[in-house]
Amino acid sequence: QVQLVESGGGLVQTGGSLRLSCAASGSVLSIESMGWYRQSPGKRRELVATIDSTGTSNYADSVRSRFTISGDISKRTIDLRMNSLKPEDTGVYYCHANKILMAIRSGITLENDSWGQGTRVTVSS
């Protein structure tokens, strides 16, 4: 199965910046899209940003003017550059991959999606 590993989380003051990275590993043949989701205490996980294999990106309205997603799906990596961070950005950020074709010994299998373990972002007031 594909494994997603996130990095770059940490503690930052309001107005600061962080860069998150995610790398997919395994016998991956292709990925339709990858993205970032976040979850704050007491809230449901929400979409932050996604990018597909053509480079088309999508953002939540709350982060559109401040965050930038980038990466190379063919290299199985994505980044999230977060600027002008606010306390409400605090949460655990999860990397996600959608529609993953994997090479296995017996042929090819499709994984609907996969989640990383998450990296924590804390923005102090």
Side-chain angles (χ1 to χ4, degrees), residues 4-124:
L4 305 177
V5 180
E6 306 101 328
S7 63
L11 174 65
V12 65
Q13 295 181 347
T14 297
S17 300
L18 284 174
R19 180 183 178 182
L20 307 183
S21 297
C22 175
S25 63
S27 300
V28 178
L29 296 176
S30 66
I31 298 175
E32 182 174 297
S33 65
M34 297 180 70
W36 293 93
Y37 293 71
R38 68 187 180 189
Q39 186 169 18
S40 300
K43 297 183 178 180
R44 304 185 71 174
R45 192 171 300 183
E46 64 177 354
L47 181 147
V48 177
T50 61
I51 186 168
D52 66 18
S53 60
T54 71
T56 301
S57 59
N58 180 50
Y59 297 91
D61 289 341
S62 61
V63 308
R64 185 179 302 275
S65 63
R66 300 181 295 119
F67 293 8
T68 302
I69 189 170
S70 62
D72 188 340
I73 299 297
S74 66
K75 295 182 178 180
R76 318 295 183 239
T77 60
I78 58 169
D79 289 343
L80 183 69
R81 291 176 291 170
M82 305 184 292
N83 298 319
S84 302
L85 284 162
K86 305 174 181 179
E88 50 262 45
D89 294 318
T90 293
V92 178
Y93 284 67
Y94 297 90
C95 182
H96 178 258
N98 186 53
K99 299 294 188 294
I100 311 133
L101 282 175
M102 304 287 295
I104 59 176
R105 289 193 301 167
S106 58
I108 300 171
T109 189
L110 173 67
E111 295 190 13
N112 188 57
D113 67 349
S114 182
W115 294 93
Q117 293 295 313
T119 184
R120 186 175 298 277
V121 171
T122 302
V123 184
S124 63

